[in-house]
């Protein structure tokens, strides 16, 4: 949780209470949540994807796993019937919102948080199957409104399946690869820390031409990352420097901080990869 989060939430709740005392308004529910699937039916042993789709009113935004200088992270939990394996995907690529000296990370308009589902081989044809998801978010505009939803998706087991919600998954599904699945564009990575200045350099060697390189730092209450600078170098490499500060009264959760490396590939697609930087 960000250090300024408590004061931030208190002021947001005061604003929300005042708005509700005056009566319901259109802005009281700026986020709509639904649970969708990319498959029409469940088929034994055939993997598919489910996702919580947030539709966000214009001017509002919700937050990434690291909200940045203020806000609160969006939290999503999925549940599947016994015998099913469900694996959450990395969150989609966020965008940076800047207000004055503050930078936050999150989503506006729409966001889709997905999980991969592998059905049991023992399900029977015609059997009803229900998936559940819970999500908590903080939606912000001039003021902030906390929100949550408990969602359910009823499907049926069949001996066939087909695509569903094609446009939603095509437009909003994550393009972020997990740490264990290095993308084809990424060659090697070196990490170097200056012990005196606490400036870390992450050098990425690319296998293919890329543009629009960004880095989003992950969340750790004891770690603050500032002054992120991205610089292309020779030999198809990129140096990303950042200042890493540690709280005097807390210890980092790990020797490494998760970060999200983002780029645009030669086909114009925005891609991401979860990696890390050394913090102690």
């Amino acid at each position: 949780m960000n250090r300024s989060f408590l004061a931030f939430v208190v002021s947001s709740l005061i604003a929300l209470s005042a708005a509700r005392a005056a009566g319901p308004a259109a802005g009281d529910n700026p986020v709509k949540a639904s649970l969708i699937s990319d498959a029409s039916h469940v088929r034994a042993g055939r993997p598919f994807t489910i996702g919580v789709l947030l539709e966000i009113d214009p001017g509002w935004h919700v937050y990434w796993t690291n909200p940045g200088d203020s806000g609160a992270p969006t939290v999503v939990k999925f549940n599947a019937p016994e015998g099913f394996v469900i694996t959450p995907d990395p969150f989609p690529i966020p965008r940076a919102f800047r207000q004055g000296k503050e930078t936050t990370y999150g989503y506006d308009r729409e966001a889709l948080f997905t999980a991969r589902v592998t059905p049991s081989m023992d399900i029977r044809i015609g059997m009803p199957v229900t998936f559940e998801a819970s999500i908590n978010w903080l939606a912000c505009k001039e003021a902030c409104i906390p929100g949550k939803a408990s969602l359910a998706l009823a499907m049926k087991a069949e001996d066939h399946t087909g695509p569903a919600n094609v446009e939603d998954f095509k437009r909003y599904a994550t393009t972020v690869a997990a740490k264990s699945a290095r993308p084809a564009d990424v060659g090697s990575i070196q990490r170097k820390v200056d012990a005196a200045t606490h400036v870390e350099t992450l050098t990425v060697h690319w296998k293919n031409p890329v543009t629009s390189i960004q880095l989003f730092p992950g969340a750790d209450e004891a770690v603050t990352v500032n002054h992120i600078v991205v610089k292309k170098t020779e030999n198809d490499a990129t140096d990303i420097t950042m200042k890493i500060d540690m709280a005097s009264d807390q210890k980092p959760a790990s020797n490494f901080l998760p970060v999200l490396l983002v780029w645009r590939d030669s086909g114009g697609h925005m891609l991401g990869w979860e990696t890390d930087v050394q913090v102690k």
Side-chain angles (χ1 to χ4, degrees):
M1 183 181 296
N2 191 277
R3 295 184 181 87
S4 61
F5 175 55
L6 180 58
F8 178 78
V9 169
V10 169
S11 63
S12 298
L13 290 175
I14 291 172
L16 175 59
S17 297
R20 287 183 173 169
D28 280 355
N29 298 291
V31 179
K32 176 186 175 183
S34 56
L35 183 57
I36 61 176
S37 168
D38 73 349
S40 60
H41 299 89
V42 176
R43 184 176 178 181
R46 178 72 63 88
F48 64 99
T49 300
I50 61 174
V52 174
L53 177 64
L54 294 188
E55 298 171 85
I56 306 163
D57 284 354
W60 292 83
H61 63 269
V62 300
Y63 294 91
W64 184 51
T65 53
N66 175 14
D69 293 331
S70 62
T74 299
V75 179
V76 185
K77 295 181 180 180
F78 294 95
N79 286 299
E82 186 176 353
F84 285 64
V85 176
I86 188 161
T87 305
D89 294 318
F91 271 27
I93 296 169
R95 57 164 291 196
F97 299 93
R98 292 183 174 86
Q99 287 187 307
K101 295 182 178 181
E102 287 193 340
T103 298
T104 60
Y105 309 118
Y107 310 94
D108 57 0
R109 297 187 181 275
E110 294 92 8
L112 181 61
F113 307 99
T114 57
R116 191 69 169 164
V117 179
T118 302
S120 166
M121 292 297 296
D122 299 328
I123 57 176
R124 302 184 305 275
I125 301 301
M127 174 180 172
V129 181
T130 300
F131 301 96
E132 297 176 339
S134 63
I135 180 167
N136 293 71
W137 66 82
L138 185 69
C140 293
K141 195 177 180 181
E142 285 84 7
C144 295
I145 300 176
K148 63 181 180 178
S150 296
L151 308 167
L153 175 65
M155 299 180 70
K156 185 180 288 187
E158 298 287 356
D159 61 357
H160 64 279
T161 188
N165 300 298
V166 174
E167 287 303 314
D168 286 328
F169 280 91
K170 182 178 179 181
R171 292 175 64 185
Y172 307 124
T174 186
T175 55
V176 175
K179 185 177 179 180
S180 59
R182 180 176 295 187
D185 288 331
V186 180
S188 61
I189 288 187
Q190 283 85 42
R191 300 166 180 83
K192 182 174 65 176
V193 182
D194 187 317
T197 63
H198 302 288
V199 171
E200 176 151 357
T201 301
L202 187 71
T203 300
V204 185
H205 297 272
W206 303 98
K207 290 184 178 180
N208 303 305
V210 301
T211 58
S212 305
I213 302 161
Q214 303 174 71
L215 187 89
F216 294 92
D220 188 319
E221 292 183 7
V223 180
T224 302
V225 179
N226 291 306
H227 307 298
I228 299 173
V229 177
V230 177
K231 183 180 179 181
K232 292 292 290 286
T233 65
E234 297 178 356
N235 302 320
D236 299 318
T238 299
D239 282 342
I240 305 173
T241 59
M242 66 208 80
K243 179 73 160 52
I244 297 178
D245 293 313
M246 258 118 36
S248 60
D249 58 343
Q250 297 183 73
K251 292 184 178 180
S254 167
N255 291 343
F256 294 89
L257 178 74
V259 296
L260 175 60
L261 179 64
V262 174
W263 66 94
R264 192 178 296 276
D265 71 7
S266 57
H269 306 102
M270 289 298 295
L271 303 176
W273 181 43
E274 294 181 328
T275 183
D276 53 41
V277 294
Q278 186 175 343
V279 295
K280 66 175 184 177

